[in-house]
Amino acid sequence: MDRDEIISRIFSFLDKIGIQYEESKIEDSSFMPGMIIRNGKLIVDIETLKYPGDLLHEAGHIAVSHPEKRNKMNGEIAKENAGEEIAALLWSYMAARETGIPAEVVFHPDGYKGDSEWLLENFKNKMFIGYPLLNWMKIFEKKDGDLKVISWLRN
């Protein structure tokens, strides 16, 4: 699967679940090359986007945030709430499954503080780090040893 196909699948998925995005040049520095969150919208600079799979992780931050705070989200979200960072990990894994994008595209070796292989191994073995929080948020539930989506967005 090439870069354009990955981006197209992600944008289609975001359209389907209601996460807003905009393709735009990013002049500001950003933690994730080629993307930033502004007022709850994922701003994507296709030309400087280094890892397309990171779009799902950042979308995960938007998805798991409290609806009243979602439109106020700006900048680097991971530092604001460690629980939501963990929830965004599992959310992005499930989103990769939903879109048919290999999980390795999201959990690439240059991300996740060197823990991408560990995270992939855990998810593949159905050790769903972040599940209790996502279940509490009414996003996922367990069924037959796997996860089922209740809603892609926290309500």
Side-chain angles (χ1 to χ4, degrees):
M1 186 177 308
D2 70 13
R3 173 186 167 85
D4 290 341
E5 175 69 15
I6 291 166
I7 293 169
S8 175
R9 286 184 185 212
I10 291 171
F11 284 168
S12 293
F13 175 70
L14 297 180
D15 286 337
K16 177 179 145 188
I17 65 170
I19 291 181
Q20 295 183 333
Y21 63 91
E22 176 183 322
E23 291 183 54
S24 178
K25 187 94 175 129
I26 297 175
E27 301 297 334
D28 312 333
S29 65
S30 62
F31 176 70
M32 301 282 241
M35 76 186 86
I36 194 164
I37 296 175
R38 283 195 198 124
N39 300 317
K41 182 187 282 189
L42 191 56
I43 308 299
V44 184
D45 186 338
I46 298 293
E47 290 180 24
T48 62
L49 179 64
K50 190 167 184 178
Y51 299 105
D54 287 347
L55 292 168
L56 284 180
H57 182 75
E58 290 303 288
H61 282 290
I62 295 168
V64 304
S65 67
H66 195 280
E68 292 177 7
K69 296 179 181 178
R70 199 170 286 144
N71 291 337
K72 299 171 189 159
M73 296 174 70
N74 286 290
E76 187 179 344
I77 307 305
K79 290 183 176 180
E80 294 179 17
N81 186 314
E84 288 182 4
E85 171 64 22
I86 292 168
L89 291 171
L90 180 54
W91 188 97
S92 59
Y93 173 76
M94 292 296 290
R97 280 185 14 179
E98 178 74 12
T99 59
I101 294 170
E104 293 79 8
V105 171
V106 178
F107 296 92
H108 54 83
D110 291 333
Y112 307 96
K113 299 179 182 175
D115 287 331
S116 59
E117 277 188 49
W118 180 80
L119 287 164
L120 286 167
E121 189 66 30
N122 277 276
F123 292 146
K124 285 177 185 174
N125 288 317
K126 298 186 180 186
M127 301 204 38
F128 298 120
I129 299 154
Y131 170 73
L133 185 54
L134 286 162
N135 181 253
W136 177 79
M137 292 175 177
K138 296 182 178 21
I139 294 176
F140 299 149
E141 66 182 1
K142 280 191 180 174
K143 186 171 184 174
D144 300 324
D146 205 353
L147 296 184
K148 178 184 173 199
V149 176
I150 299 170
S151 171
W152 283 106
L153 300 176
R154 181 177 178 185
N155 295 309

